[in-house]
C-alpha cells in the first residue's frame, strides 16, 4: 500500500472545489432535474404532422425537377457522460434514475459515469449512501476495491478515509440486499455482503472485536483480592461503542450517540478510531445539541489524537465554528488565519472567512 508523507492523500484529488463552485454545480443539477420533469408539448405533434402533409402537397408540383437533397447523417451521441459531484458542509441527494438515488455526506467528492448498462461511480473522498432499485446496476470504485450490486434492490454505504501514513481506509456496509466486493487490481472477490454485514480493508474493522490476549500462568495467591463493587462499569469494547453510536444516530438520539463517541475516544485513546470518534462527537454537539463548549473539546481531541485522516481539515473548520459561537475572538481569529493559510482552496474557506474578526 502506498505511503504518503507530509500531505493527505485527498490533497491529490482534483479538482478541489470551493463552496461557491459546489453551490453553483448543485443549482445547475437541480435546474436540469426540474426541466426534465416539466410537461412535454406532445399535443403539438399531430398539428405539426398535418401542416407538414399540407405543405408537401402544395410544394410538390414545384419541386418535381429538383434533385433530391442528400441528408448528412448526424454524428452519434456519446453514450457516456461523466459528472463531478462534490459537497461542502451539507449533504446532498442525487437521483440516479429508475427510483435509485445517491446521498453524499459532507466533504465528499464523487466522479459519476453513466454507461449503457450500468452506472459507475468513483469515490475520491468522504461517504456515499446508495439506494439501488431492482433491475439497475451500479459499480463503485473506492480505494483498493470495487463494489458490485447484485440482482434485486440494494441499499449500502461506502466510506473512504484518506489517512496520513497508513493509506486509504475503506468501510463498506449493506443495509439491504447483497453487495459483492472485489479487488480493483486483480478482480478477486474479497467479500459477498448481505444485510447488516460490513467489510473493511484494515484489520481493525467495525464488526471485528479485538482478539483476546492469551492467558498467562499466574502464581498461586494466598490472599484473594476483594471483589469489584457492583457499581463498577465493565470494560468497554471500542467496536461495540462505535456500533452503538451509529445505531443511536439512526434512531434519532444524538445525545446518546455523542456520549458513545466521547466514551470511545476517552477510554481508548490509542485505538485507530479514537480520532474519528472525537470528530463525530464534535459535529453532533455543535450541529445538533448546540453544545459549542463540548464540541470545542471534542474537535481539540480529534486534532491532537494523532489518529487523523480525511476529517482533519473538517475538524479544524468545526473548531473555528465552535470558537465563533463561544465569541472567543482572539483564539478564533488566530485559528481562522491559520486555516486560510493552510487550506486556501478548502470547501470550508468561504464560510471560515465570514467567521470571527480579521486578526
Amino acid at each position: 500500500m502506498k505511503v504518503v508523507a507530509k500531505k493527505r492523500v485527498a490533497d491529490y484529488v482534483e479538482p478541489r472545489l470551493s463552496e461557491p463552485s459546489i453551490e453553483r454545480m448543485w443549482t445547475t443539477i437541480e435546474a436540469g432535474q426540474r426541466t426534465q420533469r416539466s410537461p412535454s408539448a406532445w399535443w403539438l405533434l399531430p398539428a405539426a404532422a398535418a401542416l407538414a402533409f399540407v405543405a408537401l402537397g402544395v410544394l410538390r408540383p414545384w419541386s418535381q425537377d429538383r434533385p433530391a437533397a442528400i441528408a448528412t447523417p448526424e454524428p452519434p451521441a456519446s453514450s457516456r457522460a461523466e459528472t463531478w459531484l462534490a459537497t461542502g458542509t451539507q449533504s446532498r441527494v442525487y437521483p440516479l434514475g429508475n427510483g435509485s438515488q445517491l446521498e453524499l455526506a459532507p466533504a465528499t467528492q464523487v466522479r459519476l459515469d453513466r454507461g449503457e448498462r450500468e452506472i459507475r461511480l468513483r469515490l475520491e473522498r468522504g461517504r456515499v449512501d446508495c439506494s439501488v432499485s431492482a433491475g439497475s446496476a451500479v459499480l463503485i470504485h473506492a480505494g483498493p476495491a470495487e463494489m458490485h450490486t447484485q440482482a434485486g434492490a440494494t441499499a449500502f454505504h461506502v466510506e473512504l478515509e484518506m489517512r496520513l501514513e497508513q493509506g486509504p481506509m475503506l468501510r463498506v456496509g449493506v443495509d439491504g440486499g447483497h453487495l459483492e466486493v472485489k479487488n480493483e487490481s486483480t478482480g478477486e472477490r474479497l467479500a459477498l455482503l448481505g444485510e447488516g454485514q460490513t467489510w473493511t480493508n484494515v484489520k481493525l474493522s467495525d464488526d471485528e472485536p479485538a482478539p483476546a490476549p492469551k492467558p498467562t500462568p499466574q502464581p498461586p495467591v494466598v490472599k484473594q483480592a476483594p471483589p469489584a463493587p457492583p457499581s463498577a462499569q465493565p470494560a468497554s469494547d471500542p467496536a461495540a461503542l462505535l456500533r452503538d453510536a451509529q445505531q443511536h444516530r439512526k434512531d434519532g438520539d444524538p445525545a446518546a450517540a455523542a456520549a458513545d463517541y466521547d466514551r470511545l475516544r476517552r477510554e481508548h485513546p490509542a485505538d485507530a478510531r479514537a480520532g474519528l470518534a472525537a470528530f463525530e462527537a464534535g459535529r453532533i454537539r455543535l450541529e445538533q445539541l448546540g453544545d459549542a463548549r463540548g464540541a470545542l473539546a471534542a474537535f481539540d481531541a480529534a486534532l491532537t489524537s494523532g489518529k487523523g485522516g480525511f476529517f482533519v481539515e473538517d475538524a479544524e473548520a468545526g473548531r473555528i465554528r465552535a470558537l465563533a459561537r463561544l465569541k472567543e475572538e482572539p483564539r478564533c481569529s488566530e485559528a481562522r488565519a491559520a486555516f486560510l493559510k493552510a487550506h486556501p482552496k478548502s470547501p470550508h474557506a468561504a464560510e471560515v472567512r465570514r467567521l470571527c474578526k480579521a486578526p
Side-chain angles (χ1 to χ4, degrees):
M1 184 177 293
K2 186 177 180 181
V3 177
V4 179
K6 296 185 180 179
K7 287 190 175 182
R8 302 175 308 149
V9 179
D11 289 337
Y12 295 94
V13 176
E14 295 292 342
R16 299 279 290 178
L17 301 178
S18 64
E19 191 74 22
S21 298
I22 291 173
E23 289 301 324
R24 286 195 298 270
M25 176 188 70
W26 285 99
T27 300
T28 304
I29 290 173
E30 291 168 359
Q33 292 169 3
R34 287 194 297 270
T35 302
Q36 292 174 1
R37 290 194 295 267
S38 62
S40 59
W42 58 269
W43 55 271
L44 292 175
L45 294 178
L51 290 174
F53 180 77
V54 172
L56 181 63
V58 173
L59 298 176
R60 185 175 180 83
W62 287 273
S63 60
Q64 293 293 333
D65 299 331
R66 295 185 181 182
I70 300 176
T72 303
E74 295 183 359
S78 175
S79 60
R80 309 186 70 89
E82 185 176 87
T83 305
W84 276 95
L85 301 176
T87 56
T89 57
Q90 296 181 348
S91 60
R92 299 279 188 172
V93 176
Y94 183 84
L96 298 175
N98 297 328
S100 303
Q101 71 174 24
L102 183 70
E103 182 177 354
L104 288 74
T108 296
Q109 196 160 324
V110 174
R111 192 168 52 191
L112 184 147
D113 186 9
R114 291 182 177 272
E116 294 180 355
R117 296 184 178 180
E118 66 180 0
I119 297 176
R120 293 175 176 266
L121 304 171
R122 178 165 291 279
L123 177 61
E124 304 286 358
R125 55 182 288 179
R127 168 177 171 143
V128 293
D129 289 71
C130 195
S131 176
V132 182
S133 60
S136 300
V138 174
L139 169 63
I140 292 188
H141 298 271
E146 57 185 28
M147 281 60 68
H148 299 255
T149 58
Q150 302 296 294
T154 310
F156 62 96
H157 59 270
V158 181
E159 184 175 0
L160 183 62
E161 174 186 341
M162 295 301 185
R163 301 181 298 172
L164 184 62
E165 297 179 354
Q166 298 93 333
M169 175 186 285
L170 178 65
R171 301 183 185 90
V172 184
V174 176
D175 304 310
H178 293 83
L179 188 72
E180 184 180 22
V181 183
K182 290 184 177 182
N183 185 303
E184 187 177 36
S185 301
T186 64
E188 175 190 1
R189 175 186 281 186
L190 303 175
L192 180 60
L193 305 178
E195 183 175 354
Q197 293 182 320
T198 60
W199 178 88
T200 181
N201 67 323
V202 295
K203 293 182 180 179
L204 289 173
S205 76
D206 295 344
D207 60 340
E208 180 183 33
K214 294 182 178 180
T216 55
Q218 298 290 334
V221 288
V222 179
K223 224 179 197 185
Q224 280 200 351
S231 59
Q233 194 175 31
S236 62
D237 175 34
L241 286 173
L242 189 61
R243 286 196 300 270
D244 291 344
Q246 293 170 342
Q247 187 60 47
H248 283 137
R249 294 183 76 170
K250 289 183 180 179
D251 295 340
D253 190 352
D260 287 331
Y261 284 130
D262 281 333
R263 188 178 172 196
L264 192 160
R265 58 106 173 171
R266 287 172 180 165
E267 297 182 5
H268 305 278
D271 189 87
R273 295 155 288 198
L276 178 61
F279 169 65
E280 292 293 351
R283 285 178 57 191
I284 293 175
R285 294 196 178 281
L286 184 65
E287 298 171 6
Q288 296 179 264
L289 302 180
D291 179 12
R293 184 69 61 186
L296 179 61
F299 286 134
D300 284 340
L303 294 170
T304 58
S305 65
K307 308 292 180 182
F310 74 95
F311 58 84
V312 169
E313 181 180 318
D314 303 309
E316 291 177 355
R319 181 175 182 272
I320 296 171
R321 295 189 194 99
L323 288 170
R325 292 190 187 181
L326 293 171
K327 297 184 179 180
E328 296 193 9
E329 293 298 339
R331 296 174 64 191
C332 186
S333 298
E334 182 181 352
R336 172 185 179 274
F339 181 90
L340 295 176
K341 182 179 180 181
H343 314 288
K345 297 183 180 180
S346 168
H348 306 286
E351 181 186 5
V352 168
R353 286 191 185 95
R354 296 192 296 265
L355 299 175
C356 315
K357 295 179 180 178

